[in-house]
Amino acid sequence: GENVEQHPSTLSVQEGDSAVIKCTYSDSASNYFPWYKQELGKGPQLIIDIRSNVGEKKDQRIAVTLNKTAKHFSLHITETQPEDSAVYFCAASKHNQGGKLIFGQGTELSVKP
Amino acid sequence: GAVVSQHPSWVICKSGTSVKIECRSLDFQATTMFWYRQFPKQSLMLMATSNEGSKATYEQGVEKDKFLINHASLTLSTLTVTSAHPEDSSFYICSASDPGGLADQPQHFGDGTRLSIL
């Protein structure tokens, strides 16, 4: 079955710097890749997603890139702010799995003021 | 839009009791809902997929008789932890998608239920 690996597990940056989180997936049939932000004690919040027919997507300070050949996708956060501090999860799903998401292990991002 | 409400947010109960957790989609119809369990500092572990009007599909290793799931309407799914024991203590999170079951439709998550069994 699908396996999603996420790195790094922790990431500390200075406010204003960029942060990059990377994920790799094993199943070439996966075609949907969302990113979630989870704050302490809350449920995950969808921040951006990308489908396999697109190589890059951007929403203000957040961007996601997808390399289908290499089977990896990355989250890029620019001009980081302290409120970006949270745990970020990548995930993957494919067409015949009923929408089931396979999650990465998570990255704890800390943005220091 | 796409708001999922989960209730209760926190529950403490004695060992042996049953606990029901509700998951509601407030502004959309959720043909498919998902139930996850999350341990501290860990990722989300899918427990089961719930489709409106049909039986839930459980992931390998999840006890069907222990974790009862009902999805009786397009806006409500419930998870009942039966005869709960301390090892069932965890953070339970639901999600919903519409239209359900398609790979490229976003899942929207509730804020979770922290269950503590004494």
Side-chain angles (χ1 to χ4, degrees):
Chain A
E2 174 67 283
N3 183 50
V4 178
E5 296 287 333
Q6 183 172 346
H7 298 280
S9 56
T10 61
L11 179 60
S12 181
V13 300
Q14 287 295 132
E15 182 177 1
D17 288 349
S18 295
V20 180
I21 303 171
K22 298 182 179 181
C23 287
T24 60
Y25 60 99
S26 60
D27 192 338
S28 56
S30 291
N31 60 355
Y32 176 64
F33 308 92
W35 285 89
Y36 288 88
K37 174 184 181 182
Q38 186 177 26
E39 297 178 336
L40 193 62
K42 297 202 169 186
Q45 177 189 8
L46 178 69
I47 56 172
I48 196 167
D49 57 10
I50 192 167
R51 292 168 176 80
S52 59
N53 59 346
V54 176
E56 183 174 356
K57 184 176 178 181
K58 189 173 181 179
D59 183 3
Q60 298 182 351
R61 296 186 298 110
I62 295 173
V64 57
T65 58
L66 171 65
N67 184 325
K68 286 191 294 182
T69 302
K71 289 189 284 188
H72 67 69
F73 56 112
S74 300
L75 177 71
H76 304 252
I77 305 174
T78 58
E79 299 172 32
T80 54
Q81 301 166 4
E83 51 266 37
D84 294 329
S85 297
V87 179
Y88 290 80
F89 291 98
C90 64
S93 71
K94 61 182 180 179
H95 179 66
N96 62 350
Q97 290 291 295
K100 185 165 69 173
L101 289 173
I102 306 299
F103 281 88
Q105 296 83 354
T107 296
E108 185 172 3
L109 173 64
S110 175
V111 180
K112 300 187 184 305
Chain B
V3 178
V4 175
S5 174
Q6 193 170 335
H7 179 81
S9 57
W10 184 45
V11 60
I12 301 175
C13 61
K14 293 182 179 180
S15 184
T17 58
S18 293
V19 178
K20 180 184 283 189
I21 302 169
E22 292 187 349
C23 181
R24 294 180 186 273
S25 56
L26 298 186
D27 51 2
F28 66 102
Q29 293 185 329
T31 52
T32 302
M33 289 185 172
F34 303 86
W35 287 95
Y36 296 84
R37 184 173 181 177
Q38 187 178 35
F39 292 104
K41 300 284 189 180
Q42 293 190 23
S43 188
L44 288 80
M45 181 184 75
L46 180 66
M47 299 174 65
T49 301
S50 164
N51 290 296
E52 185 266 337
S54 62
K55 290 184 178 181
T57 302
Y58 290 81
E59 294 299 302
Q60 190 173 5
V62 178
E63 297 177 60
K64 301 178 183 182
D65 296 332
K66 176 73 170 177
F67 300 100
L68 300 179
I69 292 172
N70 183 277
H71 192 160
S73 78
L74 286 172
T75 59
L76 174 65
S77 177
T78 60
L79 167 67
T80 301
V81 184
T82 62
S83 186
H85 292 285
E87 58 266 29
D88 299 322
S89 298
S90 191
F91 192 51
Y92 292 88
I93 315 173
C94 71
S95 71
S97 66
D98 176 50
L102 297 182
D104 64 349
Q105 294 303 313
Q107 284 187 30
H108 304 282
F109 286 80
D111 267 343
T113 297
R114 184 156 306 283
L115 175 63
S116 297
I117 308 299
L118 303 178

